[in-house]
């Protein structure tokens, strides 16, 4: 939603294009940013994202395609179209094989509206196993805005089922892209797979994102670079680490970035998480063993993961409230790799 305020000259695509890379975008770009996406040579930009909370959906969706001034309505299921466009961009890159390339692929799925592709509309999904957070009955310790978001367990299960089926189409397209890369011999390629947020499937009776709870903030983050990385890491990482990792791989230092390279241990003991888009704003310090949250309403949350991994008991204050508040505010103001 803050797209118009972003300095587009300091984006990954701007830096890499300045280094001689070909660049491409397929899918969702920035909300409230109209026209051709800057610094992309090729693009199939999903449109209709100008208003807060709106979505163009998955059928008969407007796209702005490379070199066109007017949007084109695409009847094909949008996740499939986005994947096919990405595969086509790989062919475009191949025409100038002496140039390296950068591609950003961003399907809308599994964002609402929850519309699976026809072939997956009734596909079997893993059985639902409710957690203690899903079964929580007493929300009196939760902030007012959480209590106001209360949804039924039936709605949570319905959304989960639809999202899992929508992600099957995403899996198809990821597979198609990597198969194409293999066919073209593009093995020495650094790739990331991640999301911009997690989602609550009924934990604490919420069916939404933008909350500090672990089910809402934790996302998959996979990195693939044959011959360079492998295995599973347990150190704290975040999406702000993608840019510095790319620059580290290329031995670039274009400007001061938040985040740390994932080509070595991040060394973090905590990380800042924030929300300033919906109401209310909040900021929090997440550690492997605790979560401390300050909300603009003046409410506080503190969860001890060792004793309460499902975040059922809000202790409202940490064992060291003044220190934790100072640490949080310092982290909110810091810049660069020294930040947690």
């Amino acid at each position: 939603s803050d797209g118009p305020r972003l300095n587009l000259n300091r984006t990954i695509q701007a830096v890499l294009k300045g280094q001689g890379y070909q660049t491409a975008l397929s899918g969702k770009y920035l909300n409230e940013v109209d026209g051709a996406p800057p610094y992309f040579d090729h693009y199939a930009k999903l449109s209709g994202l100008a208003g807060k909370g709106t979505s163009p959906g998955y059928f008969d969706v407007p796209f702005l395609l490379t070199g066109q001034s007017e949007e084109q309505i695409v009847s094909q299921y949008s996740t499939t179209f986005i994947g096919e466009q990405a595969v086509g961009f790989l062919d475009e890159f191949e025409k100038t094989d002496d140039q390296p390339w950068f591609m950003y692929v961003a399907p809308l799925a599994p964002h609402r509206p929850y519309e699976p592709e026809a072939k997956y509309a009734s596909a079997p999904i893993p059985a639902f196993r409710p957690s203690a957070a899903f079964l929580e009955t007493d929300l009196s310790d939760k902030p007012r805005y959480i209590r106001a978001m209360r949804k039924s367990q039936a709605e949570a299960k319905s959304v989960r089922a639809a999202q899992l089926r929508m992600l099957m189409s995403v899996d198809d397209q990821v597979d198609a892209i990597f198969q194409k890369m293999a066919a073209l011999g593009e093995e020495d390629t650094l790739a990331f797979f991640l999301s911009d947020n997690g989602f609550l499937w009924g934990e604490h009776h919420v069916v939404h994102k933008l909350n500090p709870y672990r089910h809402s903030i934790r996302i998959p983050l996979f990195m693939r670079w044959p011959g360079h990385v492998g295995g599973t890491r347990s150190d704290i990482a975040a999406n702000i680490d993608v840019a510095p990792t790319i620059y580290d791989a290329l031995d670039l230092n274009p400007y001061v970035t938040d985040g740390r390279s994932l080509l070595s241990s991040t060394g973090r003991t905590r990380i800042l998480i924030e929300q300033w888009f919906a109401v209310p704003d909040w900021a929090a310090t997440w550690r492997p063993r605790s979560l401390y949250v300050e909300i603009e309403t003046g409410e506080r949350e503190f969860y001890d993961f060792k004793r309460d991994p499902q975040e059922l008991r809000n202790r409202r204050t940490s064992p060291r409230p003044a220190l934790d508040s100072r640490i949080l505010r310092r982290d909110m103001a810091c810049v660069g790799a020294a930040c947690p």
Side-chain angles (χ1 to χ4, degrees):
S1 63
D2 249 358
R5 297 172 56 190
L6 177 66
N7 183 351
L8 298 174
N9 298 320
R10 291 164 62 103
T11 56
I12 294 172
Q13 65 269 22
V15 171
L16 295 185
K17 188 170 175 59
Q19 294 292 319
Y21 276 64
Q22 300 180 85
T23 58
L25 159 74
S26 186
K28 182 178 178 181
Y29 186 48
L30 297 168
N31 292 355
E32 302 179 29
V33 175
D34 296 325
Y39 300 106
F40 285 108
D41 300 309
H42 312 284
Y43 50 88
K45 175 191 167 189
L46 178 65
S47 300
L49 293 160
K52 292 183 178 180
T54 64
S55 168
Y58 296 87
F59 300 96
D60 297 323
V61 176
F63 279 84
L64 184 64
L65 305 179
T66 306
Q68 297 187 2
S69 58
E70 299 292 332
E71 295 172 349
Q72 173 181 321
I73 300 298
V74 175
S75 59
Q76 187 177 12
Y77 190 67
S78 69
T79 303
T80 305
F81 180 77
I82 288 167
E84 291 181 356
Q85 290 293 300
V87 168
F89 294 153
L90 290 172
D91 281 326
E92 291 296 320
F93 296 150
E94 195 70 10
K95 294 177 182 178
T96 53
D97 197 40
D98 58 328
Q99 280 185 274
W101 54 268
F102 166 75
M103 183 164 66
Y104 175 54
V105 183
L108 183 66
H111 194 284
R112 66 175 186 272
Y114 305 117
E115 301 174 330
E117 192 173 2
K119 65 180 179 180
Y120 294 126
S122 300
I125 57 174
F128 178 71
R129 294 182 174 85
S131 65
F134 181 88
L135 298 172
E136 183 179 18
T137 57
D138 183 5
L139 299 179
S140 61
D141 65 322
K142 296 296 185 286
R144 290 189 296 273
Y145 83 99
I146 292 293
R147 298 198 301 270
M149 297 173 72
R150 188 171 188 134
K151 299 291 185 180
S152 70
Q153 293 182 341
E155 180 175 348
K157 292 177 181 178
S158 175
V159 169
R160 171 186 178 270
Q163 288 187 313
L164 289 176
R165 290 175 174 130
M166 293 163 73
L167 286 171
M168 294 176 185
S169 298
V170 175
D171 287 345
D172 288 345
Q173 301 316 310
V174 171
D175 181 58
I177 291 168
F178 277 102
Q179 285 197 32
K180 185 65 172 182
M181 288 170 55
L184 295 174
E186 299 283 358
E187 289 301 315
D188 188 24
T189 302
L190 174 60
F192 298 90
F193 178 91
L194 69 162
S195 178
D196 59 347
N197 59 263
F199 198 86
L200 293 174
W201 279 336
E203 292 86 0
H204 318 295
H205 295 264
V206 175
V207 183
H208 202 255
K209 54 186 178 180
L210 306 179
N211 310 118
Y213 308 124
R214 60 169 54 199
H215 297 92
S216 182
I217 67 165
R218 300 195 70 179
I219 61 171
L221 199 169
F222 297 96
M223 179 170 61
R224 178 185 184 272
W225 193 9
H228 298 271
V229 299
T232 302
R233 298 256 296 275
S234 59
D235 48 324
I236 303 172
N239 50 14
I240 56 173
D241 297 329
V242 172
T245 302
I246 292 172
Y247 301 149
D248 185 19
L250 298 176
D251 197 24
L252 296 176
N253 188 24
Y255 53 84
V256 174
T257 64
D258 290 341
R260 305 180 184 185
S261 173
L262 297 175
L263 296 180
S264 58
S265 173
T266 65
R268 289 190 180 100
T269 58
R270 67 181 189 274
I271 196 164
L272 170 72
I273 54 176
E274 296 177 282
Q275 191 289 119
W276 61 88
F277 171 61
V279 178
D281 293 349
W282 53 260
T285 300
W286 189 93
R287 294 182 173 90
R289 297 182 60 173
S290 67
L291 172 68
Y292 172 72
V293 188
E294 293 187 0
I295 307 167
E296 67 172 344
T297 58
E299 296 167 287
R300 300 287 184 267
E301 293 183 271
F302 181 81
Y303 300 96
D304 181 337
F305 295 153
K306 184 177 181 180
R307 300 180 180 179
D308 180 21
Q310 294 291 316
E311 300 161 315
L312 302 178
R313 182 186 175 190
N314 177 16
R315 297 173 177 265
R316 292 188 172 86
T317 184
S318 71
R320 46 181 195 177
L323 177 59
D324 278 339
S325 185
R326 287 199 302 272
I327 289 173
L328 176 59
R329 295 184 183 283
R330 185 176 66 208
D331 291 349
M332 292 171 67
C334 76
V335 176
C339 297

